[in-house]
Amino acid sequence: MSNASLDRVHVLLGVGGGIAAYKAAELVRRLRDAGAEVRVVMTENATRFVGAVTFQALSGNPVRSSLWDESAEAAMSHIELARWADEVIIAPASADLIARLAHGFAGDLLSTLVLTTAAPVSVAPAMNQQMWAHPATQANVERLRQRKVRVLGPAAGSQACGETGEGRLLEVDELIAALVAARGPRSLDGLRVLVSAGPTYEDIDPVRFIGNRSSGKMGFAVAAAAAQAGAEVRLIAGPVSLSTPAGVERIDVRSARQMRDAVIAAAADADIFISAAAVGDYRPETTAPTKLKKSGKALALELIQNPDILAEVGQSAQPPFLVGFAAETNDLEHYARGKLERKRLDMIAANQVGEAQGFECGENALLLIWSGGSEQLALADKRVLAQSLVERIAERYRATRPVVVSA
Ligand code: C5P
């Protein structure tokens, strides 16, 4: 499990012009050590202090400093870059840069990004102590604070210019700690989440099988969202062609019985089991060892029922918090409530199938039901929906499970 404090967080690091820019190089390394993905944007002045190549090598990503770089803009537009960011941190932030940000200027790439992003912005000032103490700078910083920009530092001490006072960039450790603290705890920190996803295939003979139309997208999105929320995630995947979400441990299976074995083995040490797989209810009683041939007559397949994996986990002595899915073409709420009780679930996520949602598509809507409440999550991209679902699961989990304080 990656419990790194900034695990998979997209950090956009803005480097301003100032001698402290060299410390930003170390910051990139340490952000990556903490699990973050880092992209660096430098002001023109910053490039006079440290070369872009240094930041490119350390971040593993191209560095940008201009709005007018056509090839960079084609690869990832500044709007996409602003959306990509989960966090923006500007270190060092010069007096000039702070003034421009405080007044909403957008004359260069970095200030444009700050106006364009929805991500929280942190600035770490670094400048001569007189510049820092100047009422103009103090007023600008106050403006930023009022706009909920986090101001990290500066520290006091000896300065590159030979003076002593307030205006030093915070140490890299302190910057990272401040960023982590500002982000706050994630909803599934410290929890182990098991997710099943995709269809199951039940073999008829070596070339034919009974399957279903599940793409696995919803379950994979749930696994990704749970990992982003801080959980240690194990994903039991039926046959799908999807890539494994970052930080998720994946176990591939084919049939319902293989999925059952993998889930039962993993459920014992899971805190939460989210069963998003469309498990085949039936399988052929026997699988022919060689390809079945046409006989000129009708062919009858004897089907027998598969184990109900979720129900079996629900019957264990100390089941994890159980979340089931119910895909229905009709009487959605009625059937979902039945499953909630019958399978002893803590929550069920019900969706209507048959319209332009549910199977084989990128969007879905979910009706969440638990004992004592329900909530409709509106039609949305499955990745967005998965994040909302994971947040609701975290809330219900914390509301119903006692907090165990480890010794
Ligand atoms: O098939 P059904 O509609 O009953 O599925 C509801 C829930 O039960 C789903 O979360 C599904 O993953 C799970 N299930 C299962 N094993 C089965 C059938 C369904 O775990 N054999």
Side-chain angles (χ1 to χ4, degrees):
M1 150 169 161
S2 177
N3 241 343
S5 47
L6 294 171
D7 193 27
R8 289 182 295 274
V9 177
H10 291 177
V11 177
L12 181 66
L13 170 63
V15 183
I19 185 59
Y22 79 92
K23 291 191 187 169
E26 177 66 10
L27 179 58
V28 175
R29 275 204 44 214
R30 300 293 304 282
L31 285 167
R32 293 193 72 189
D33 289 347
E37 267 185 63
V38 183
R39 286 178 181 266
V40 178
V41 170
M42 304 174 77
T43 62
E44 286 293 336
N45 285 338
T47 61
R48 294 172 184 269
F49 289 92
V50 185
V53 180
T54 303
F55 287 109
Q56 180 164 330
L58 292 171
S59 68
N61 282 312
V63 172
R64 296 193 56 180
S65 56
S66 167
L67 266 168
W68 309 110
D69 180 341
E70 280 177 28
S71 59
E73 195 62 21
M76 188 189 238
S77 75
H78 65 281
I79 303 288
E80 285 170 300
L81 188 54
R83 284 197 196 122
W84 172 89
D86 298 318
E87 286 287 340
V88 175
I89 176 165
I90 300 176
S94 63
D96 177 69
L97 184 52
I98 287 172
R100 285 188 281 130
L101 298 180
H103 293 275
F105 285 5
D108 67 357
L109 179 62
L110 184 54
S111 52
T112 302
L113 287 168
V114 169
L115 288 190
T116 317
T117 190
V121 177
S122 306
V123 296
M127 66 195 74
N128 167 272
Q129 50 99 13
Q130 290 283 1
M131 288 175 94
W132 172 252
H134 196 285
T137 305
Q138 288 302 310
N140 289 333
V141 168
E142 189 48 36
R143 249 174 200 254
L144 292 179
R145 282 207 177 98
Q146 279 171 7
R147 248 187 260 140
K148 303 275 180 274
V149 171
R150 307 174 195 131
V151 180
L152 315 179
S158 65
Q159 300 202 290
C161 53
E163 296 179 17
T164 303
E166 239 179 276
R168 281 170 59 95
L169 185 70
L170 284 190
E171 294 303 325
V172 169
D173 279 349
E174 293 171 314
L175 289 174
I176 301 228
L179 200 60
V180 170
R183 285 182 64 77
R186 290 174 296 175
S187 61
L188 293 177
D189 270 338
L191 295 178
R192 291 160 303 182
V193 173
L194 177 65
V195 180
S196 70
T200 58
Y201 285 177
E202 308 299 334
D203 290 334
I204 298 169
D205 68 16
V207 294
R208 303 175 182 102
F209 61 85
I210 301 173
N212 62 64
R213 291 170 52 189
S214 166
S215 65
K217 280 185 189 158
M218 193 66 219
F220 273 58
V222 167
Q228 274 162 12
E232 176 187 349
V233 182
R234 226 178 244 182
L235 172 64
I236 315 289
V240 293
S241 50
L242 294 172
S243 50
T244 311
V248 168
E249 182 192 336
R250 171 174 177 174
I251 299 164
D252 284 315
V253 296
R254 180 175 170 84
S255 68
R257 282 179 297 172
Q258 288 170 351
M259 185 170 277
R260 179 228 166 250
D261 292 347
V263 166
I264 297 297
D269 48 40
D271 299 299
I272 297 171
F273 172 39
I274 305 170
S275 182
V279 185
D281 289 330
Y282 288 91
R283 67 174 184 274
E285 187 173 26
T286 53
T287 302
T290 53
K291 187 179 168 190
L292 295 175
K293 295 293 181 194
K294 285 191 281 287
S295 67
K297 287 184 274 175
L299 174 69
L301 277 180
E302 185 76 18
L303 300 180
I304 56 170
Q305 217 172 310
N306 270 328
D308 190 313
I309 305 167
L310 185 53
E312 189 175 336
V313 178
Q315 279 152 18
S316 59
Q318 279 189 310
F321 185 94
L322 290 183
V323 182
F325 275 73
E328 306 289 350
T329 53
N330 56 295
D331 293 331
L332 182 65
E333 183 163 351
H334 171 74
Y335 285 125
R337 284 194 186 280
K339 283 176 197 173
L340 183 74
E341 278 173 32
R342 212 170 41 252
K343 302 197 189 200
R344 303 184 189 177
L345 307 182
D346 294 282
M347 184 188 278
I348 193 150
N351 66 306
Q352 193 87 34
V353 287
E355 296 154 28
Q357 61 183 63
F359 282 139
E360 293 178 321
C361 66
E363 290 201 321
N364 207 357
L366 291 175
L367 172 65
L368 305 186
I369 306 173
W370 58 91
S371 94
S374 69
E375 184 180 349
Q376 178 71 49
L377 302 181
L379 186 68
D381 183 283
K382 283 179 179 172
R383 285 165 300 184
V384 175
L385 198 63
Q387 287 169 353
S388 310
L389 172 63
V390 158
E391 289 314 308
R392 301 314 185 278
I393 291 171
E395 280 164 25
R396 295 304 309 154
Y397 177 87
R398 307 265 180 215
T400 56
R401 301 284 155 129
V403 179
V404 180
V405 181
S406 50

Short mmCIF file of all heavy atoms in Angstrom, two decimals, residues 150-184:
data_model
loop_
_atom_site.label_atom_id
_atom_site.label_comp_id
_atom_site.label_asym_id
_atom_site.label_seq_id
_atom_site.Cartn_x
_atom_site.Cartn_y
_atom_site.Cartn_z
N ARG A 150 -3.33 29.95 0.67
CA ARG A 150 -2.54 29.63 1.87
C ARG A 150 -1.16 30.28 1.73
O ARG A 150 -0.49 30.08 0.72
CB ARG A 150 -2.33 28.13 2.01
CG ARG A 150 -3.59 27.32 1.94
CD ARG A 150 -3.15 25.86 1.94
NE ARG A 150 -4.20 24.98 1.53
CZ ARG A 150 -4.07 24.03 0.62
NH1 ARG A 150 -2.91 23.85 0.00
NH2 ARG A 150 -5.08 23.25 0.33
N VAL A 151 -0.79 31.00 2.73
CA VAL A 151 0.53 31.64 2.71
C VAL A 151 1.44 30.86 3.65
O VAL A 151 1.20 30.80 4.86
CB VAL A 151 0.43 33.13 3.10
CG1 VAL A 151 1.81 33.78 3.06
CG2 VAL A 151 -0.54 33.86 2.17
N LEU A 152 2.46 30.22 3.08
CA LEU A 152 3.35 29.37 3.87
C LEU A 152 4.63 30.13 4.14
O LEU A 152 5.44 30.36 3.24
CB LEU A 152 3.66 28.07 3.10
CG LEU A 152 2.46 27.35 2.43
CD1 LEU A 152 2.95 26.11 1.69
CD2 LEU A 152 1.41 26.98 3.47
N GLY A 153 4.82 30.54 5.37
CA GLY A 153 6.01 31.29 5.74
C GLY A 153 5.82 32.77 5.48
O GLY A 153 4.68 33.24 5.42
N PRO A 154 6.91 33.53 5.30
CA PRO A 154 8.30 33.07 5.23
C PRO A 154 8.91 32.86 6.62
O PRO A 154 8.29 33.21 7.62
CB PRO A 154 8.99 34.25 4.52
CG PRO A 154 8.21 35.44 4.97
CD PRO A 154 6.78 34.98 5.08
N ALA A 155 10.12 32.29 6.62
CA ALA A 155 10.85 32.11 7.87
C ALA A 155 11.79 33.30 8.07
O ALA A 155 12.04 34.07 7.15
CB ALA A 155 11.66 30.81 7.78
N ALA A 156 12.25 33.41 9.31
CA ALA A 156 13.22 34.47 9.62
C ALA A 156 14.62 33.87 9.66
O ALA A 156 14.77 32.67 9.89
CB ALA A 156 12.88 35.10 10.97
N GLY A 157 15.63 34.69 9.40
CA GLY A 157 17.00 34.21 9.48
C GLY A 157 17.90 35.00 8.56
O GLY A 157 17.50 36.05 8.05
N SER A 158 19.09 34.46 8.33
CA SER A 158 20.03 35.19 7.47
C SER A 158 19.61 35.00 6.02
O SER A 158 19.12 33.94 5.63
CB SER A 158 21.45 34.68 7.70
OG SER A 158 21.54 33.34 7.28
N GLN A 159 19.79 36.05 5.24
CA GLN A 159 19.32 36.03 3.85
C GLN A 159 20.49 36.05 2.87
O GLN A 159 21.60 36.48 3.22
CB GLN A 159 18.43 37.25 3.62
CG GLN A 159 17.21 37.25 4.53
CD GLN A 159 16.10 38.10 3.97
OE1 GLN A 159 16.21 39.32 3.93
NE2 GLN A 159 15.04 37.45 3.53
N ALA A 160 20.20 35.62 1.63
CA ALA A 160 21.25 35.56 0.61
C ALA A 160 21.87 36.94 0.38
O ALA A 160 23.05 37.06 0.06
CB ALA A 160 20.67 35.02 -0.69
N CYS A 161 21.07 37.98 0.61
CA CYS A 161 21.56 39.34 0.37
C CYS A 161 22.45 39.84 1.51
O CYS A 161 22.96 40.97 1.46
CB CYS A 161 20.37 40.28 0.19
SG CYS A 161 19.21 40.17 1.56
N GLY A 162 22.60 39.02 2.55
CA GLY A 162 23.46 39.40 3.65
C GLY A 162 22.71 40.00 4.83
O GLY A 162 23.27 40.20 5.90
N GLU A 163 21.41 40.30 4.63
CA GLU A 163 20.63 40.86 5.74
C GLU A 163 20.03 39.73 6.57
O GLU A 163 20.08 38.57 6.19
CB GLU A 163 19.52 41.76 5.17
CG GLU A 163 20.09 42.96 4.45
CD GLU A 163 19.01 43.87 3.86
OE1 GLU A 163 17.85 43.75 4.27
OE2 GLU A 163 19.36 44.68 2.99
N THR A 164 19.46 40.12 7.69
CA THR A 164 18.81 39.14 8.55
C THR A 164 17.40 39.62 8.83
O THR A 164 17.19 40.81 9.08
CB THR A 164 19.58 39.00 9.90
OG1 THR A 164 20.93 38.65 9.59
CG2 THR A 164 18.97 37.92 10.78
N GLY A 165 16.46 38.69 8.77
CA GLY A 165 15.08 39.08 9.06
C GLY A 165 14.11 38.11 8.41
O GLY A 165 14.50 37.02 7.96
N GLU A 166 12.84 38.51 8.36
CA GLU A 166 11.80 37.65 7.82
C GLU A 166 11.78 37.74 6.31
O GLU A 166 11.75 38.87 5.77
CB GLU A 166 10.43 38.09 8.35
CG GLU A 166 9.72 37.01 9.12
CD GLU A 166 8.41 37.51 9.65
OE1 GLU A 166 8.42 38.13 10.72
OE2 GLU A 166 7.40 37.30 8.97
N GLY A 167 11.78 36.61 5.63
CA GLY A 167 11.75 36.64 4.17
C GLY A 167 12.37 35.41 3.53
O GLY A 167 12.40 35.29 2.32
N ARG A 168 12.87 34.49 4.38
CA ARG A 168 13.47 33.26 3.83
C ARG A 168 12.37 32.26 3.42
O ARG A 168 11.36 32.14 4.11
CB ARG A 168 14.32 32.57 4.91
CG ARG A 168 15.69 33.17 5.12
CD ARG A 168 16.30 32.57 6.38
NE ARG A 168 16.41 31.12 6.26
CZ ARG A 168 17.51 30.49 5.85
NH1 ARG A 168 18.59 31.18 5.54
NH2 ARG A 168 17.54 29.17 5.76
N LEU A 169 12.63 31.57 2.35
CA LEU A 169 11.70 30.49 1.97
C LEU A 169 11.68 29.45 3.09
O LEU A 169 12.72 29.12 3.66
CB LEU A 169 12.20 29.83 0.67
CG LEU A 169 11.28 28.76 0.06
CD1 LEU A 169 10.02 29.42 -0.53
CD2 LEU A 169 12.00 27.99 -1.04
N LEU A 170 10.52 28.93 3.41
CA LEU A 170 10.44 27.84 4.39
C LEU A 170 11.30 26.68 3.91
O LEU A 170 11.48 26.50 2.71
CB LEU A 170 9.00 27.33 4.55
CG LEU A 170 8.00 28.16 5.35
CD1 LEU A 170 6.72 27.34 5.56
CD2 LEU A 170 8.55 28.63 6.68
N GLU A 171 11.79 25.88 4.85
CA GLU A 171 12.56 24.68 4.47
C GLU A 171 11.64 23.74 3.70
O GLU A 171 10.41 23.73 3.92
CB GLU A 171 13.11 23.98 5.72
CG GLU A 171 14.16 24.79 6.48
CD GLU A 171 15.36 25.19 5.60
OE1 GLU A 171 15.74 24.39 4.73
OE2 GLU A 171 15.88 26.32 5.78
N VAL A 172 12.23 22.92 2.85
CA VAL A 172 11.45 22.01 2.02
C VAL A 172 10.56 21.09 2.87
O VAL A 172 9.38 20.89 2.57
CB VAL A 172 12.40 21.20 1.10
CG1 VAL A 172 11.67 20.06 0.42
CG2 VAL A 172 13.03 22.13 0.07
N ASP A 173 11.11 20.57 3.96
CA ASP A 173 10.33 19.73 4.88
C ASP A 173 9.10 20.46 5.39
O ASP A 173 8.01 19.89 5.49
CB ASP A 173 11.17 19.38 6.12
CG ASP A 173 12.10 18.24 5.84
OD1 ASP A 173 11.92 17.60 4.79
OD2 ASP A 173 12.99 17.99 6.68
N GLU A 174 9.30 21.72 5.74
CA GLU A 174 8.20 22.51 6.29
C GLU A 174 7.14 22.78 5.23
O GLU A 174 5.93 22.77 5.52
CB GLU A 174 8.72 23.84 6.85
CG GLU A 174 9.62 23.66 8.06
CD GLU A 174 10.31 24.97 8.48
OE1 GLU A 174 10.84 25.67 7.60
OE2 GLU A 174 10.31 25.26 9.67
N LEU A 175 7.59 23.01 4.00
CA LEU A 175 6.63 23.25 2.91
C LEU A 175 5.76 22.02 2.70
O LEU A 175 4.54 22.11 2.54
CB LEU A 175 7.37 23.61 1.61
CG LEU A 175 8.03 24.98 1.56
CD1 LEU A 175 8.83 25.13 0.28
CD2 LEU A 175 6.97 26.08 1.65
N ILE A 176 6.42 20.85 2.68
CA ILE A 176 5.66 19.61 2.45
C ILE A 176 4.69 19.37 3.61
O ILE A 176 3.52 19.06 3.41
CB ILE A 176 6.61 18.41 2.26
CG1 ILE A 176 7.51 18.70 1.07
CG2 ILE A 176 5.84 17.10 2.18
CD1 ILE A 176 7.68 17.65 0.04
N ALA A 177 5.19 19.55 4.83
CA ALA A 177 4.33 19.33 6.01
C ALA A 177 3.13 20.28 5.96
O ALA A 177 2.00 19.88 6.27
CB ALA A 177 5.13 19.52 7.29
N ALA A 178 3.37 21.52 5.56
CA ALA A 178 2.27 22.50 5.51
C ALA A 178 1.24 22.10 4.46
O ALA A 178 0.03 22.21 4.68
CB ALA A 178 2.83 23.89 5.21
N LEU A 179 1.73 21.61 3.34
CA LEU A 179 0.83 21.19 2.27
C LEU A 179 -0.02 19.99 2.71
O LEU A 179 -1.24 19.95 2.50
CB LEU A 179 1.67 20.83 1.03
CG LEU A 179 0.97 20.83 -0.31
CD1 LEU A 179 0.39 22.19 -0.62
CD2 LEU A 179 1.96 20.43 -1.41
N VAL A 180 0.65 19.02 3.33
CA VAL A 180 -0.06 17.82 3.79
C VAL A 180 -1.10 18.21 4.84
O VAL A 180 -2.25 17.76 4.78
CB VAL A 180 0.94 16.78 4.36
CG1 VAL A 180 0.22 15.65 5.06
CG2 VAL A 180 1.84 16.26 3.24
N ALA A 181 -0.69 19.06 5.78
CA ALA A 181 -1.62 19.47 6.85
C ALA A 181 -2.81 20.22 6.26
O ALA A 181 -3.95 20.02 6.66
CB ALA A 181 -0.89 20.34 7.86
N ALA A 182 -2.53 21.07 5.27
CA ALA A 182 -3.61 21.87 4.67
C ALA A 182 -4.61 20.99 3.93
O ALA A 182 -5.79 21.29 3.87
CB ALA A 182 -3.03 22.91 3.73
N ARG A 183 -4.13 19.90 3.36
CA ARG A 183 -5.04 19.01 2.61
C ARG A 183 -5.96 18.25 3.55
O ARG A 183 -7.03 17.82 3.15
CB ARG A 183 -4.24 18.01 1.76
CG ARG A 183 -3.65 18.64 0.52
CD ARG A 183 -2.92 17.61 -0.29
NE ARG A 183 -3.82 16.57 -0.80
CZ ARG A 183 -4.64 16.72 -1.84
NH1 ARG A 183 -4.68 17.86 -2.47
NH2 ARG A 183 -5.41 15.73 -2.23
N GLY A 184 -5.51 18.05 4.79
CA GLY A 184 -6.34 17.36 5.77
C GLY A 184 -6.37 15.87 5.50
O GLY A 184 -5.86 15.39 4.48
#
